[in-house]
Amino acid sequence: MKKQLFRGILLAALLLSPITLPAQGQWNDYAIRQNQVTYQGQVLPDADAKTFQELGFGYGKDQYNVYYQGEVLEFADPTAFKVNARFTRHHRISTTGMKTPAPRKQTTEKKLDITDILGLDGEESGTYSIQGNAVTYEGQSVQGADAATFVILKAGYAKDDHHAYYQGQLITNALGGKYFIYQDDDYASDGQHTYFKGKEVNRD
């Protein structure tokens, strides 16, 4: 009898006790340690620690990518990407007069090149501009670019007779002119090296 009474008291205490569950916080999910970016303790090998910014609600960005919960957010431009809590789809900000839409379903379908889907050519897929002897990207001067031989490629890539560029930044050691070509899916090559979103990589 005493054991049954004790079990009843213990069960009631457990049911009435508050239970704290882990939740996605607004800040501090990302961290930079020893020149590496981590999300909830997991290293993000492609993240650039020098330019990384945490944006809140699981979002972050560097000069190359936008991230959500530690994963690269496809087709998002880090130069213009912002987080505004009023447009959330994953977090309830206020229960007054607001509805929280269902989260997006994860998909395993093959990701497509948006420039191919829209049929964009090189000039349409970037925001480079050539005016006289000046070349700009997103309104910022492209240092060292030769306007006379400057060619706009796809997915943020461009080149002149001597150099190659990604999103307005010089790609170090890349050969320009006829050697540098855009391939597909954010890859480009100068015949000796392969680049993904402007960074040199090994592509087997």
Side-chain angles (χ1 to χ4, degrees), residues 8 19 23 39 86 93 108 138 155 171:
I19 299 174
Y39 176 78
R86 293 190 301 112
I93 304 303
T108 56
E138 297 282 352
I171 302 176

Side-chain angles (χ1 to χ4, degrees), residues 8-17:
I9 294 173
L10 181 60
L11 179 60
L14 291 174
L15 292 175
L16 294 175
S17 298

Side-chain angles (χ1 to χ4, degrees), residues 1 127 134:
M1 182 65 181
T127 52

